[in-house]
Amino acid sequence: DTGVSQNPRHKITKRGQNVTFRCDPISEHNRLYWYRQTLGQGPEFLTYFQNEAQLEKSRLLSDRFSAERPKGSFSTLEIQRTEQGDSAMYLCASSRGGGPDYNEQFFGPGTRLTVL
Amino acid sequence: RKEVEQDPGPFNVPEGATVAFNCTYSNSASQSFFWYRQDCRKEPKLLMSVYSSGNEDGRFTAQLNRASQYISLLIRDSKLSDSATYLCVVTPRTSGTYKYIFGTGTRLKVLA
């Protein structure tokens, strides 16, 4: 399967714990995005990487959130001291890059986080 | 005001019906537009890109009206399998990241 993959698919944690999610984009894609989706809403942009550089972060990404893409391939999203409001689906997407004509983003299956 | 607005529905239509969804966006400098389909508890998948000239793919037709800042999606001869949430997506020109701005999605249920 050459699509975007995410692990784990589901995560249940207790409030105050740290969690880390992984995303493996399509191999030739140099752009990688993280989004968060809550019930009944569309996905909301969190952060963007071009290769290994994190070029934009949303105001939604509080200082408890950190994302990395150390070698320009896979990415991790860490949430420290989780809160119940962090419960959501975390979606990763990748695109080829190179301008608006190569902007189509392909989404992974998401990681569903439940904070108890 | 949200950057991208959609009627959340649900739209309940019988099989074979024609249904249309609209979406409005607030950033006049937006440069790319898409419709994505999302099934329950699944990831969004691209349905179609939307161009100023309009585009059609089988039973689906998308239109873009830049002057009025809205995008439409028309589904003809609805099938049970069309039941899903349809997400309107806009990419702001001011963002060099080409990040997506999503609407809340419109739920469609096609009834037998």
Side-chain angles (χ1 to χ4, degrees):
Chain A
D1 188 344
T2 57
V4 178
S5 62
Q6 291 186 246
N7 288 288
R9 295 290 305 277
H10 304 274
K11 179 71 178 177
I12 299 174
T13 191
K14 292 183 178 178
R15 189 176 48 167
Q17 298 295 305
N18 299 344
V19 294
T20 300
F21 310 142
R22 176 177 169 127
C23 170
D24 287 87
I26 294 170
S27 59
E28 64 267 26
H29 287 185
N30 60 21
R31 294 172 183 247
L32 187 147
Y33 304 81
W34 285 97
Y35 295 86
R36 180 172 71 186
Q37 186 174 25
T38 54
L39 198 62
Q41 301 297 315
E44 295 175 293
F45 170 77
L46 292 178
T47 191
Y48 159 70
F49 290 86
Q50 181 161 327
N51 299 312
E52 66 278 6
Q54 187 176 21
L55 297 184
E56 185 171 345
K57 293 195 293 186
S58 163
R59 287 189 300 272
L60 292 175
L61 215 66
S62 76
D63 54 10
R64 294 186 298 106
F65 288 70
S66 62
E68 293 183 337
R69 194 183 182 195
K71 297 181 180 177
S73 56
F74 73 91
S75 175
T76 58
L77 177 68
E78 181 184 15
I79 310 174
Q80 295 183 326
R81 306 181 303 281
T82 52
E83 301 173 356
Q84 288 184 324
D86 297 331
S87 296
M89 173 78 90
Y90 290 84
L91 291 161
C92 176
S94 69
S95 69
R96 193 190 310 174
D101 291 338
Y102 301 98
N103 188 30
E104 178 188 343
Q105 294 180 26
F106 297 82
F107 285 81
T111 294
R112 185 170 297 279
L113 173 66
T114 302
V115 181
L116 302 175
Chain B
R1 182 187 173 189
K2 289 189 175 181
E3 287 189 71
V4 180
E5 297 206 57
Q6 292 182 255
D7 181 344
F11 285 60
N12 295 322
V13 302
E15 264 187 298
T18 295
V19 62
F21 307 138
N22 286 332
C23 162
T24 58
Y25 60 94
S26 60
N27 185 342
S28 61
S30 298
Q31 61 178 349
S32 301
F33 308 88
F34 306 91
W35 283 101
Y36 273 72
R37 171 192 169 129
Q38 187 172 31
D39 293 295
C40 187
R41 303 180 79 85
K42 300 282 191 181
E43 73 272 24
K45 292 189 177 177
L46 180 68
L47 180 66
M48 20 191 350
S49 302
V50 188
Y51 306 113
S52 296
S53 55
N55 49 310
E56 185 174 315
D57 183 2
R59 299 182 292 108
F60 298 85
T61 300
Q63 298 275 358
L64 167 63
N65 185 318
R66 284 190 181 271
S68 301
Q69 294 179 209
Y70 79 80
I71 307 152
S72 64
L73 177 68
L74 183 78
I75 305 174
R76 291 180 297 278
D77 188 23
S78 300
K79 311 291 186 192
L80 293 175
S81 58
D82 294 334
S83 297
T85 295
Y86 291 84
L87 295 161
C88 174
V89 178
V90 169
T91 299
R93 186 189 299 276
T94 51
S95 167
T97 66
Y98 303 106
K99 67 185 178 188
Y100 280 0
I101 308 296
F102 286 86
T104 55
T106 298
R107 282 179 54 208
L108 171 67
K109 184 156 186 166
V110 181
L111 307 170

